[in-house]
Amino acid sequence: MSQGTGGGLLRRHRDFRLLWCGETAGKFGASVTGVAMPLVAVSTLHAGTFEVGLLSAAAWAPWLIVGLPVGVWVDRLRRRPIMLAAAAISFLLFAGLPVAAWFGRLSIGLLLTVALLTGTAAVFFQTAYSAYLPSILEPADQPEGNAKLHGSASAAQIAGLGSGGLIAQLAGAVNGMFANAATFFVALLCLAGIRHREPRVTKTERRPRALFSEVGEGLRLVVDDPWLRTLTAFGAASNLALMGYQSILVIFLVRSVGLPSGTVGALIAAASTGGVVGAFVARRVASRVGTARATLLFELGLPIFALLIPLTAGGAGILLYVAGGFCVSAGVVAGNVIKSSFQQRYCPPELLGRLTASTAFLNYGTIPLGAVLGGALGTALGIRTAMWITTAGVPLAALILFFSPIRRSRDLPTSRRPASNAKLPLDPDGEPVLPRH
């Protein structure tokens, strides 16, 4: 599993390097789609605010529909073949959109269908990927691996968002889907080149209702544990607010602020540079002040600046969006780096797929709701008012962390408390209080 001990992971660990390249390529393509898909709906198909919100919701709805059973399947099967199949399906679906446009078959219904199917592929890929990463990295390398993956994902997002607007302006928004399809093909090649092979999973006889039992085991793991429960509840509330404003952001910048398509992509990319900074400083800040305190700093302190976003106006006023978006992006990515390393060390490997699926079901499950909420608020109250309401929810969500054991701790724990202590009272840090004898 380990490939040398000196130097950085990208230099000494071939399999991680391939995984990193494939994931970065996929994130770049997804970011191009994040700009190009709404632009196709707005500029080519003349969709309304609510329809654009539904488009964002469709991409995330699969986490609510199949997220929980996927976690069980990932724990039962080898993870790399699942990732290969998901990347191949996404490649074919995204490549098919421009082809459909050539034959006059492009419609809002088709966009929604592709968003739903590629979103389903993303559920399989992301769940398998989160459980696969610890199998190729030693525990000591996992924080560095998470930081590099989140940092490169943010950099790819910046490049993709900027390129998405530019591609839409130069070649047309529909043709931008080819860029995304190509990146999934690159991801497919990188995954195919990884040498590490997971052990063959032994098939065992399972009861007819075993799937439901294993799904319940993953959910109980989250609900019964104070640390996982707090972080998951925060993630759900935060994603509701984040997607609430992000689902109508393109419409806000185009119709309310009056920016052209190319400028929209560049502006979103500039704000997203905060993600690279967040990934870069996350480990350093966490090692200096503690992982729990750093989580509060990144998830509560920085997102307050989200309230600058609704103030965005033409001219120099666009800098308000850049500043607010930069801080939100930095906080989210830094918090995710810390959370990913915590979960990989804290959770038993045999439950990691179910933990990932259970937390994602609750975290990502609010994303389609946020997208629909953003579209509904924009339709009913106006886009700028909707931006005020949804951006205010970003720092408010972090109050869940503030009123939790995280506020009273320096560091997040590195191992779970024994199951036999599950009913014992907890101290202020969320650890069981053992009886005196």
Side-chain angles (χ1 to χ4, degrees):
M1 185 160 60
S2 179
Q3 298 183 17
T5 57
L9 276 176
L10 290 178
R11 185 177 65 81
R12 62 182 166 84
H13 202 305
R14 178 184 178 276
D15 284 348
F16 175 78
R17 186 165 60 248
L18 284 170
L19 183 66
W20 174 82
C21 288
E23 174 71 358
T24 302
K27 292 296 185 185
F28 173 83
S31 296
V32 170
T33 302
V35 174
M37 194 86 94
L39 286 175
V40 169
V42 172
S43 61
T44 304
L45 300 175
H46 309 292
T49 302
F50 186 70
E51 289 174 312
V52 175
L54 281 179
L55 191 60
S56 297
W60 293 98
W63 286 101
L64 280 173
I65 301 169
V66 298
L68 291 175
V70 166
V72 176
W73 295 327
V74 164
D75 278 339
R76 290 180 179 179
L77 304 170
R78 287 183 291 178
R79 284 78 184 256
R80 181 171 162 273
I82 295 175
M83 296 160 64
L84 286 167
I89 290 169
S90 297
F91 162 70
L92 293 173
L93 288 169
F94 281 122
L97 277 177
V99 176
W102 295 343
F103 289 95
R105 299 292 184 179
L106 189 63
S107 65
I108 288 293
L110 181 60
L111 284 183
L112 288 170
T113 301
V114 170
L116 190 65
L117 292 175
T118 54
T120 302
V123 172
F124 280 89
F125 186 95
Q126 193 62 41
T127 304
Y129 158 80
S130 298
Y132 180 70
L133 179 63
S135 73
I136 66 171
L137 291 182
E138 298 287 354
D141 285 332
Q142 288 171 15
E144 181 186 350
N146 285 315
K148 280 185 165 56
L149 285 164
H150 282 287
S152 64
S154 295
Q157 182 183 40
I158 294 165
L161 290 170
S163 301
L166 186 61
I167 290 171
Q169 209 166 33
L170 297 178
V174 177
N175 290 331
M177 297 298 105
F178 276 132
N180 196 18
T183 58
F184 277 102
F185 185 69
V186 171
L188 195 60
L189 294 178
C190 290
L191 288 170
I194 293 177
R195 292 172 181 164
H196 171 71
R197 293 294 182 268
E198 302 160 273
R200 188 175 296 278
V201 178
T202 304
K203 293 184 177 180
T204 58
E205 195 73 27
R206 291 186 171 89
R207 294 177 290 105
R209 298 181 65 84
L211 176 65
F212 298 99
S213 175
E214 292 177 54
V215 165
E217 187 177 2
L219 287 173
R220 284 192 299 273
L221 176 64
V222 174
V223 173
D224 293 343
D225 187 281
W227 303 96
L228 296 174
R229 183 172 63 243
T230 296
L231 290 170
T232 302
F234 159 70
S238 178
N239 283 336
L240 181 73
L242 286 168
M243 184 50 67
Y245 86 77
Q246 290 175 1
S247 67
I248 57 174
L249 181 59
V250 170
I251 292 181
F252 171 68
L253 294 175
V254 171
R255 294 181 180 171
S256 296
V257 182
L259 300 177
S261 298
T263 305
V264 167
L267 197 64
I268 297 176
S272 298
T273 55
V276 178
V277 176
F280 180 76
V281 304
R283 284 194 303 148
R284 292 166 173 79
V285 174
S287 63
R288 182 178 294 271
V289 305
T291 51
R293 293 174 182 172
T295 297
L296 276 180
L297 172 65
F298 290 127
E299 301 287 20
L300 177 59
L302 288 179
I304 291 175
F305 293 95
L307 295 173
L308 294 175
I309 295 174
L311 296 172
T312 304
I318 62 175
L319 296 177
L320 292 170
Y321 167 72
V322 174
F326 180 94
C327 291
V328 171
S329 182
V332 168
V333 173
N336 285 342
V337 169
I338 297 171
K339 179 182 175 182
S340 296
S341 298
F342 159 70
Q343 287 187 347
Q344 288 162 4
R345 288 195 173 193
Y346 191 69
C347 179
E350 67 275 10
L351 293 175
L352 196 52
R354 273 165 282 179
L355 173 65
T356 300
S358 297
T359 56
F361 171 78
L362 299 168
N363 286 345
Y364 296 162
T366 60
I367 289 180
L369 302 179
V372 173
L373 177 65
L377 288 174
T379 301
L381 305 176
I383 296 175
R384 194 175 292 271
T385 301
M387 292 293 287
W388 274 111
I389 295 171
T390 51
T391 53
V394 177
L396 288 175
L399 293 178
I400 294 173
L401 300 178
F402 187 77
F403 295 107
S404 77
I406 291 176
R407 177 170 62 90
R408 300 184 293 271
S409 306
R410 184 186 187 278
D411 288 292
L412 299 171
T414 56
S415 61
R416 292 188 66 224
R417 55 190 173 89
S420 58
N421 292 334
K423 300 301 182 182
L424 293 175
L426 304 179
D427 66 16
D429 292 334
E431 298 297 330
V433 178
L434 300 176
R436 296 180 182 273
H437 296 285

